[in-house]
Amino acid sequence: MTLKNVKTGQSISEVPELAISTAPKRRLLAAGSEARTAAAGQAAEVVNPFVHPRSLVSDFTSAELLVTHQLRRLLGRSFLALSPCVVMHPMVNPQGGFTQVERRAFREMALGAGAAKVFVWTGRPLTDQEVLSRQAPSGGCVGITAKPVSSATKPDHPMPRCKRSPPNSPDRFLLLASMLVCIVVSACAGAIGVKLSSEIEYRTETGESIHARYYRLNDGSLSFAKIRLPGGSEATLPNVLSASGAKYSDGRRYTWWTKGNTAFLEVRGSDGTWQLRYRDCVAIQR
């Protein structure tokens, strides 16, 4: 697995493995080259979420956790401040081409890790300039983005949409066994400007207050929420794609859901699963 920040040139190349403890609770111990060392001598397993004879992704939850961990390692505390766009590039050419499910899985991994916008590219490796300008070469295709690009911001020759590629590989299993994933990160294009959209106070089911401010960038490329929880802790959560209502998540610790004048908060446990913390939150002041 290779990750590169095309703005700074910084990159990370690691084996796509995680060490996950099995007792008393499942939690991430280490990733990459440190995974096997961390798992030795304790109740833990080493997982490669990209090895499977029939699919590019064998364990989506572990894959998302790995992408999140390595993105945080690459970008550090500046991850949210950069509002990154992510290009996911599975470096294989499976027999019959990539399925919609496989492309969607890679896209959802990056969104779950907190990316503002995601492209899934299949084709030759892109240059840094092609990523920054979003000028895709011929002979490849890009999957759907997290948010549609308006006609005012589309490049003259935008990245082409995905079409099913002809089968070029005689052995899908061998390709999967040696699969690499390249993740390219850049700051979203456009002038930086933040506008406060709304400010809402919510009352939880226990009578406590959650204060939320909702912001958006002036180019429309990103929306995010800053929430203050009971006890005073705060979190900045980018808006990510959801089937219903509005979802704000950093992909690591908090996910804030809103619909109409109601909301609820999920917190990620040490085992990597999302757990409901505050339910039935109702807006009491706008």
Side-chain angles (χ1 to χ4, degrees), residues 1 14-20 26 30-32 35-36 45-53 55-64 66 106 109 175-181:
M1 171 181 282
E14 289 278 11
V15 292
E17 294 182 339
L18 306 96
I20 300 177
R26 291 178 61 84
R36 293 184 180 271
E45 60 178 344
V46 176
V47 178
N48 184 335
F50 300 112
V51 174
H52 193 277
S55 175
L56 292 177
V57 181
S58 58
D59 186 335
F60 179 84
T61 301
S62 296
E64 183 183 78
L66 178 61
F106 280 105
M109 281 178 214
L175 285 169
L176 287 169
S178 60
M179 187 184 75
L180 296 176
V181 179

Side-chain angles (χ1 to χ4, degrees), residues 52-281:
H52 193 277
R54 299 188 309 276
S55 175
L56 292 177
V57 181
S58 58
D59 186 335
F60 179 84
T61 301
S62 296
E64 183 183 78
L65 187 61
L66 178 61
V67 171
T68 301
H69 176 86
Q70 298 294 32
L71 275 176
R72 296 300 301 181
R73 180 183 166 194
L74 178 68
L75 300 175
R77 295 185 180 276
S78 64
F79 182 47
L80 292 178
L82 283 173
S83 302
C85 297
V86 174
V87 177
M88 300 286 285
H89 184 191
M91 307 279 285
V92 296
N93 192 6
Q95 184 177 4
F98 295 90
T99 67
Q100 184 186 44
V101 172
E102 289 167 335
R103 293 194 301 266
R104 183 66 179 266
F106 280 105
R107 175 175 172 267
E108 292 296 328
M109 281 178 214
L111 289 175
K117 187 175 291 185
V118 182
F119 298 91
V120 180
W121 168 254
T122 60
R124 68 158 173 81
L126 299 171
T127 66
D128 291 357
Q129 185 57 39
E130 286 169 338
V131 173
L132 292 172
S133 65
R134 300 186 189 178
Q135 300 292 312
S138 60
C141 60
V142 66
I144 55 177
T145 64
K147 295 180 181 179
V149 181
S150 67
S151 57
T153 59
K154 284 184 179 179
D156 293 337
H157 302 285
M159 289 184 173
R161 304 292 288 183
C162 270
K163 294 182 181 179
R164 199 168 178 83
S165 303
N168 294 316
S169 168
D171 194 330
R172 180 182 176 90
F173 177 78
L174 291 179
L175 285 169
L176 287 169
S178 60
M179 187 184 75
L180 296 176
V181 179
C182 181
I183 305 173
V184 185
V185 184
S186 70
C188 285
I192 298 177
V194 180
K195 180 180 180 180
L196 177 64
S197 300
S198 61
E199 187 171 354
I200 303 176
E201 192 83 20
Y202 295 88
R203 182 66 51 81
T204 71
E205 73 279 9
T206 57
E208 298 173 288
S209 294
I210 295 179
H211 188 82
R213 293 186 177 95
Y214 298 96
Y215 299 87
R216 62 178 177 85
L217 298 189
N218 57 6
D219 65 355
S221 64
L222 176 68
S223 299
F224 63 95
K226 294 180 70 70
I227 61 173
R228 186 173 69 245
L229 303 176
S233 61
E234 297 185 343
T236 302
L237 310 175
N239 179 236
V240 297
L241 192 67
S242 66
S244 178
K247 178 182 179 182
Y248 302 85
S249 178
D250 59 8
R252 300 177 298 109
R253 189 175 181 186
Y254 297 115
T255 295
W256 175 247
W257 296 82
T258 67
K259 188 171 184 179
N261 67 337
T262 62
F264 65 91
L265 180 74
E266 293 178 318
V267 177
R268 197 165 209 162
S270 59
D271 61 352
T273 61
W274 291 99
Q275 303 166 5
L276 193 60
R277 174 64 62 85
Y278 295 105
R279 70 181 74 208
D280 301 329
C281 301

